[in-house]
Amino acid sequence: MKARAAKTAAAMAPAGQASALKAEAAPKKRVSPTKFFEQVMAEAKKITWTSRKETWITSLMVFVMVVMTSIFFFVVDWVLRTGVTQILALANAG
């Protein structure tokens, strides 16, 4: 399927870009497991972790937003329930 997509893209691309797309579609060379894990460790060293304070503030903000959202939906549910109850009461009275 990827080969078909690459052929379609190459056919639709301007003449100068067709060769670049063909080279991009070629399978990549396999990397040895040792080299792979070296690359993984190198990338892992680039990770920047959030501080304890940032994590605490973010968690607190999530909690506040959950509370606000639940209050909002509680009020909306109460208003709709009251409205529907009133409409049904009118229908049963008549």
Side-chain angles (χ1 to χ4, degrees):
M1 187 130 185
K2 286 183 181 180
R4 188 181 327 167
K7 285 181 184 178
T8 303
M12 294 178 66
Q17 291 179 349
S19 60
L21 288 173
K22 286 180 183 176
E24 209 175 280
K28 295 192 176 193
K29 190 176 173 184
R30 293 188 126 208
V31 178
S32 71
T34 306
K35 184 72 173 171
F36 172 75
F37 285 112
E38 286 174 2
Q39 292 174 353
V40 168
M41 293 304 293
E43 290 297 319
K45 289 178 184 177
K46 296 178 186 177
I47 296 173
T48 56
W49 298 98
T50 58
S51 67
R52 184 176 293 270
K53 183 179 178 183
E54 290 172 323
T55 303
W56 174 250
I57 290 172
T58 305
S59 299
L60 187 62
M61 289 305 298
V62 168
F63 179 74
V64 167
M65 292 304 293
V66 166
V67 169
M68 288 173 54
T69 305
S70 62
I71 291 169
F72 171 76
F73 282 116
F74 176 79
V75 170
V76 169
D77 181 56
W78 179 77
V79 168
L80 291 174
R81 185 171 15 112
T82 303
V84 168
T85 303
Q86 293 297 323
I87 291 172
L88 292 176
L90 288 173
N92 287 334

